[in-house]
Amino acid sequence: MRKPIIAANWKMNKTVQEGKSFSTLLPADTSLYQEVEVVICPPFTALQAVGEELKGKGIKLGGQNLYPMEKGAFTGEVSPLMLQDLGCTYVILGHSERRHLLGEKDEFINQKVKAAFAFDLLPILCLGETLEQRQKGATEEVCHQQLQGSLKDIEAQDVAQMVIAYEPVWAIGTGVHARPADAEKTIACLRQVISKEWGEEIGAAVRIQYGGSVKPENIREFMSCANIDGALVGGASLKADSFYQIVRGAREGSE
Ligand code: PEP
């Protein structure tokens, strides 16, 4: 039985004060957070303050990116050591905004995945097709390529621990979510690819989220799909109330 996982990707939103007030407003529902793993990924500038505020609530902290070196002359970058130092457990890697706006390729993302594991950070590896690729019928091929390129030479036991987020690019921030049955089909294929590459046990253990316009109104339907283990949430994670409704919906939908 895989534990559901809901992660909040705040992207480039929230000052320190705004991050703190979100954390204060989020109900201290520790029994819920034991059943559904909850991760908040604030911008780097708010990580420490949000981490302090969330202490004792049973909620984990994640970074939104890292540079694959421990330290050095990399102006403007943040290292896995720095994320670890601030108490992060997870790190989002390969998000479509970084792939498409900043030109990140699978090879570079693969270096980041390795750097994350080297510092005990669990990657939330994002992948997904563009609308054009979907219309060409290339969804599965694109997702498999991104998966294999980003996870090249990663050990089976590491793959079992990490999280994959299937996020169709056309569904991110658009208000148009994938049909749960379509997301389930792609995620089931990804699980098969993982089983073939790293073994049945790993394929059965790895958690795969859906991401793209998830809201309190649609989370239950995604969670009722056999292969969907949670969600990566952007816009609807910015308000404590809607994010909390999503976490509650995830528990109900997966029952
Ligand atoms: C995301 O940024 O990963 C995301 C899924 O955003 P949204 O929920 O706003 O579509």
Side-chain angles (χ1 to χ4, degrees), residues 68-90:
M69 294 297 278
E70 180 180 330
K71 59 182 172 184
F74 304 100
T75 303
E77 296 295 333
V78 168
S79 85
L81 175 67
M82 293 165 180
L83 295 181
Q84 188 192 50
D85 188 40
L86 289 176
C88 290
T89 309
Y90 287 92

Side-chain angles (χ1 to χ4, degrees), residues 139-155:
T139 297
E140 283 167 19
E141 187 192 329
V142 168
C143 292
H144 295 179
Q145 269 173 13
Q146 290 179 350
L147 181 83
Q148 279 168 324
S150 307
L151 295 187
K152 192 166 175 284
D153 301 327
I154 303 298
E155 303 285 341

Side-chain angles (χ1 to χ4, degrees), residues 25-174:
L25 287 171
L26 197 63
D29 195 340
T30 37
S31 68
L32 174 62
Y33 309 141
Q34 263 164 21
E35 286 176 59
V36 178
E37 193 172 351
V38 177
V39 187
I40 311 268
C41 303
F44 293 138
T45 47
L47 268 171
Q48 183 167 20
V50 170
E52 290 290 328
E53 212 65 42
L54 290 176
K55 260 190 195 138
K57 277 194 174 171
I59 293 175
K60 311 233 169 93
L61 197 62
Q64 294 179 18
N65 183 33
L66 58 73
Y67 190 79
M69 294 297 278
E70 180 180 330
K71 59 182 172 184
F74 304 100
T75 303
E77 296 295 333
V78 168
S79 85
L81 175 67
M82 293 165 180
L83 295 181
Q84 188 192 50
D85 188 40
L86 289 176
C88 290
T89 309
Y90 287 92
V91 60
I92 297 172
L93 296 176
H95 191 277
S96 85
E97 284 145 21
R98 299 204 64 86
R99 288 179 187 266
H100 298 286
L101 298 175
L102 298 161
E104 286 193 9
K105 300 274 179 281
D106 290 331
E107 205 184 336
F108 188 41
I109 296 164
N110 180 238
Q111 290 173 25
K112 295 184 182 207
V113 170
K114 289 175 180 162
F117 282 121
F119 288 86
D120 295 325
L121 297 166
L122 295 172
I124 299 176
L125 173 69
C126 304
L127 47 84
E129 82 287 0
T130 61
L131 186 57
E132 201 189 345
Q133 289 164 333
R134 182 168 199 86
Q135 285 165 343
K136 277 194 206 144
T139 297
E140 283 167 19
E141 187 192 329
V142 168
C143 292
H144 295 179
Q145 269 173 13
Q146 290 179 350
L147 181 83
Q148 279 168 324
S150 307
L151 295 187
K152 192 166 175 284
D153 301 327
I154 303 298
E155 303 285 341
Q157 72 266 20
D158 287 339
V159 176
Q161 297 296 316
M162 66 181 291
V163 176
I164 314 273
Y166 165 59
E167 300 206 297
V169 178
W170 47 270
I172 298 178
T174 58

